[in-house]
Amino acid sequence: MMLLALAAATILIHGGAFATKAYFDQAASRGQTTLRLAVAVLRGQMSRYQALPALIADHYDIQALLAEPQNAALRAKANAYLKGINGLLASSDIYVIKPGGETIAASNHDGPVSFVGENFSYRPYYQDAIEGRQGRFFALGTTSLKRGYYFSAPVTTGGEVKGVVVFKVDIDAIEASWKGDDYEILVSDPEGIIFMTDQPDWLYAGLLPLTADRLARTEASRRYANAKLRELPVTRSRTGSGHQLMTIASEGLSHEYLVLAEPMPEAGWTVSVLLDTAPVHTQIIISVAAALLLLGLAALAGAILLQRRARLRERLEMQRSAQAELEQRVALRTADLALVNRQLETEVAERRATEQQLRQTQSDLIQAGKLAALGQMSAALSHELNQPLTAVKTYADNAAILIERNRTAEARDNVSRISSLADRMASISRHLRNFARKPNEQLGPVALADVVRDTLEIVAWRLKAARSEVAVDLGPKPLIVQAGQIRLQQVLVNLISNAADAVEGQAERRIALQARPKDGKVTITIADNGPGIPDAIAPRIFDPFFTTKGVGRGLGLGLSISYNIIKDFGGDLTVMNQLEGGAVFTITLDEASSSQREAAE
């Protein structure tokens, strides 16, 4: 009995201390997880909206309004833009402030509580942004009386700050997600004043003494508008293992909490998690009582232990049998999986071979399309080469006669003309050779102007035969696209040749090639004033072997090959009819920078 009493006393003294430390450590670990999650949510919410004011500040309507703040039309346009963006982003308010602090446009301009006309020069977010910095500030709205977190950015034109864009985010949704059974989450400002909590009695209460300096700094920024600030009745203490405790008195009752806090220096906040210690104390009492109960049952443990040993032997035997059966099942399952794996490897190998065959087929189709185009060109190319060859023979005969007559200067002029004609024929031959060869090129930066120039030289014969010209407009600056030069040239040759076919028979034959950059893409359009594409065949226009031309004038591969080439580039090829008549083909490719082209070269 003495030993039993001594063991009970040991459990009460040392076991109680051990249980206290263990359960408080466990509660602290759980609270730390909650704290990290709360901080991550806050940081994620802030980072989600942080860059938006600067993007809005770059918008043309905002900059135009700040250049003419009194222009009613510009105000209305800016108000509509801000209201649309606010609804799209589900934010609280977005507004524009001119120098001096007056609000001249707001997303709530037509609401019952409009910010237009209000002066916010006293707000730190305005003061930071008007000095050229991005601002962040938490406050209770002086006009709306709604809490929110404010992001601000300067509107800069020509290196000068013309105004400020402010983005207000509602925090009610974040606060509502914090409700828990045995913990409270609160956020306090640098003065220790609570501004986020799901306990209404704690809102705008100070965890630190509200000294005159703290109140003065808070009132200077009007952070909490007309809200009544007060001190929260708090008593602080620590456990034997060093955990921080806080006792809060409210309505005659006191509640003890385990406190875990983490600062957010980028926002000037401190996020705290308060866990109610009542469940912890209950667990400690239950643990000690359980230990005493176990001690009381120790006398019965001997008999029970003997019985359990017999049962344990029986169970071990059952486990050995079950383990043997399990190993047998695993072996069978492993064999099945190995068979399935071999089947999958065979299927993968077959699929790779099929994909390789498809790529080869596509390459052969592309080459067939180019050779078909060369076949169509042959008659015109013969004429293009015969003209300079005839002229070369004439100049050569004349040069021989002039040399016999000692007219050397005139003979030299004839030889120069023969050299120029030879250069012309070499140029035609070079472009045809480049067009006809099978491309084996990687995607990279390609100068669009060079591709268009070479294309026009190749299709010059076709345009001449169609008595039409191509009006080229590539914009004010050189355009660089991500593509393959030879394959892009093939697409343009095909589309311009089709346009030349389309305008035949028209009184006025117009073909236009235009290119413009937009949002990291380059759009190339080839438009003609031909009869257009009938609606009945428009869905099939890019199908292989589909053609509207007569027998012998095409294989029906040109548009299909062109479509697949552009898709290989990561772009898009579409067609539509123009209202004024004719068809327009649109190529969309990724834009590459000139620096990328220089690096590739």
Side-chain angles (χ1 to χ4, degrees):
M1 290 297 296
M2 290 293 295
L3 291 175
L4 190 60
L6 182 59
T10 302
I11 290 174
L12 287 173
I13 298 173
H14 299 288
F18 177 79
T20 299
K21 182 180 183 305
Y23 283 117
F24 269 101
D25 287 346
Q26 186 181 48
S29 177
R30 189 173 68 255
Q32 194 66 41
T33 300
T34 303
L35 178 61
R36 283 196 299 267
L37 180 60
V39 172
V41 169
L42 286 171
R43 284 190 172 132
Q45 190 77 355
M46 288 193 296
S47 62
R48 175 185 176 190
Y49 294 104
Q50 184 175 1
L52 295 178
L55 294 176
I56 297 172
D58 289 337
H59 196 274
Y60 173 78
D61 292 342
I62 303 303
Q63 295 190 351
L65 173 60
L66 287 169
E68 297 182 64
Q70 303 304 322
N71 189 315
L74 292 177
R75 283 198 178 201
K77 195 172 183 181
N79 283 332
Y81 168 70
L82 294 177
K83 185 173 182 179
I85 291 295
N86 189 59
L88 180 65
L89 299 177
S91 52
S92 179
D93 300 292
I94 310 173
Y95 47 102
V96 180
I97 304 175
K98 71 178 184 178
E102 182 185 349
T103 304
I104 58 174
S107 59
N108 61 2
H109 67 95
D110 56 352
V113 182
S114 173
F115 289 175
V116 176
E118 296 291 337
N119 191 296
F120 297 109
S121 60
Y122 54 86
R123 288 297 201 191
Y125 61 73
Y126 167 79
Q127 297 165 6
D128 289 340
I130 203 66
E131 292 178 2
R133 304 186 302 271
Q134 290 194 349
R136 297 197 298 187
F137 187 68
F138 174 83
L140 179 67
T142 56
T143 302
S144 64
L145 297 180
K146 290 178 61 179
R147 291 173 299 155
Y149 195 75
Y150 298 80
F151 297 91
S152 65
V155 182
T156 305
T157 305
E160 181 181 354
V161 178
K162 296 293 187 180
V164 173
V165 171
V166 183
F167 197 101
K168 181 181 178 182
V169 181
D170 194 352
I171 64 168
D172 289 345
I174 301 176
E175 194 177 68
S177 68
W178 286 350
K179 294 185 180 298
D181 295 332
D182 60 346
Y183 65 84
E184 304 290 344
I185 301 177
L186 55 88
V187 183
S188 56
D189 66 9
E191 312 303 337
I193 299 173
I194 301 171
F195 62 82
M196 288 182 68
T197 176
D198 62 348
Q199 290 288 341
D201 295 341
W202 295 358
L203 198 58
Y204 310 127
L207 294 172
L208 301 174
L210 295 178
T211 63
D213 290 342
R214 289 193 174 102
L215 290 174
R217 286 192 293 268
T218 301
E219 291 173 0
S221 62
R222 298 186 64 187
R223 184 190 293 269
Y224 300 114
N226 298 323
K228 183 179 179 181
L229 305 180
R230 65 194 185 283
E231 292 185 14
L232 195 66
V234 171
T235 303
R236 299 178 185 274
S237 60
R238 286 188 178 275
T239 65
S241 54
H243 294 294
Q244 183 180 353
L245 300 177
M246 178 189 296
T247 302
I248 301 176
S250 176
E251 298 179 356
L253 299 176
S254 295
H255 292 276
E256 184 185 69
Y257 296 95
L258 174 63
V259 181
L260 296 134
E262 180 176 336
M264 290 182 63
E266 69 273 21
W269 297 348
T270 299
V271 183
S272 302
V273 173
L274 278 59
L275 289 94
D276 193 343
T277 59
V280 178
H281 289 300
T282 301
Q283 286 179 315
I284 293 170
I285 294 171
I286 292 174
S287 297
V288 174
L292 292 174
L293 180 60
L294 289 175
L295 183 63
L297 295 175
L300 299 176
I304 296 174
L305 182 60
L306 292 174
Q307 183 181 7
R308 290 193 63 184
R309 281 182 178 179
R311 296 181 60 185
L312 181 60
R313 284 193 296 270
E314 182 182 353
R315 186 176 299 172
L316 288 174
E317 183 61 32
M318 292 176 62
Q319 286 180 349
R320 279 192 293 271
S321 300
Q323 184 175 2
E325 183 181 355
L326 179 61
E327 289 176 353
Q328 184 180 5
R329 290 182 180 180
V330 168
L332 292 175
R333 183 59 177 166
T334 301
D336 292 341
L337 289 175
L339 177 61
V340 172
N341 188 45
R342 287 194 296 271
Q343 292 175 346
L344 287 175
E345 289 176 351
T346 302
E347 291 179 4
V348 169
E350 292 175 352
R351 180 164 296 181
R352 286 177 178 170
T354 302
E355 290 177 354
Q356 183 64 30
Q357 185 177 1
L358 286 174
R359 291 193 191 98
Q360 183 61 40
T361 301
Q362 184 183 25
S363 177
D364 292 344
L365 284 175
I366 291 173
Q367 192 67 11
K370 291 198 288 188
L371 293 177
L374 287 175
Q376 294 176 358
M377 296 179 189
S378 59
L381 290 175
S382 175
H383 178 70
E384 287 290 319
L385 292 174
N386 279 336
Q387 282 185 335
L389 285 172
T390 302
V392 165
K393 185 176 187 312
T394 301
Y395 283 135
D397 294 342
N398 290 341
I401 296 172
L402 291 173
I403 290 173
E404 291 176 357
R405 298 177 180 178
N406 291 325
R407 294 165 64 181
T408 308
E410 296 179 34
R412 184 179 295 109
D413 180 64
N414 279 12
V415 172
S416 297
R417 293 174 183 269
I418 290 172
S419 177
S420 297
L421 290 170
D423 289 340
R424 178 184 172 189
M425 289 186 291
S427 175
I428 293 172
S429 176
R430 183 179 66 256
H431 287 305
L432 289 175
R433 184 176 66 253
N434 289 339
F435 179 74
R437 75 184 182 189
K438 211 167 187 177
N440 187 19
E441 56 185 353
Q442 299 292 328
L443 298 186
V446 174
L448 186 58
D450 295 344
V451 176
V452 171
R453 183 190 64 243
D454 293 346
T455 299
L456 292 179
E457 291 188 17
I458 291 175
V459 300
W461 66 273
R462 183 66 190 90
L463 296 173
K464 184 177 179 181
R467 297 196 304 279
S468 62
E469 295 182 354
V470 178
V472 179
D473 179 9
L474 300 182
K477 68 174 185 177
L479 297 176
I480 310 296
V481 297
Q482 190 76 7
Q485 182 162 349
I486 296 175
R487 290 189 288 168
L488 179 58
Q489 178 181 315
Q490 179 182 353
V491 172
L492 294 180
V493 166
N494 185 39
L495 295 180
I496 293 176
S497 297
N498 287 349
D501 291 340
V503 299
E504 287 188 359
Q506 302 294 322
E508 183 179 359
R509 304 177 181 185
R510 298 192 307 273
I511 302 174
L513 189 153
Q514 186 182 70
R516 289 290 184 271
K518 182 178 180 183
D519 298 333
K521 302 283 186 181
V522 174
T523 301
I524 308 168
T525 58
I526 297 95
D528 61 66
N529 66 330
I533 298 174
D535 293 339
I537 68 171
R540 303 173 55 199
I541 197 70
F542 295 114
D543 289 350
F545 304 106
F546 179 79
T547 179
T548 59
K549 299 176 183 179
V551 177
R553 297 195 62 191
L555 301 176
L557 291 173
L559 288 178
S560 176
I561 292 172
S562 299
Y563 181 84
N564 285 293
I565 289 175
I566 297 301
K567 285 295 183 181
D568 287 345
F569 294 163
D572 196 17
L573 174 60
T574 59
V575 63
M576 62 182 296
N577 289 322
Q578 303 180 93
L579 294 177
E580 61 272 20
V584 55
F585 285 81
T586 302
I587 301 171
T588 304
L589 297 173
D590 290 332
E591 184 177 14
S593 65
S594 57
S595 61
Q596 288 177 313
R597 177 174 171 81
E598 292 170 1
E601 292 175 351

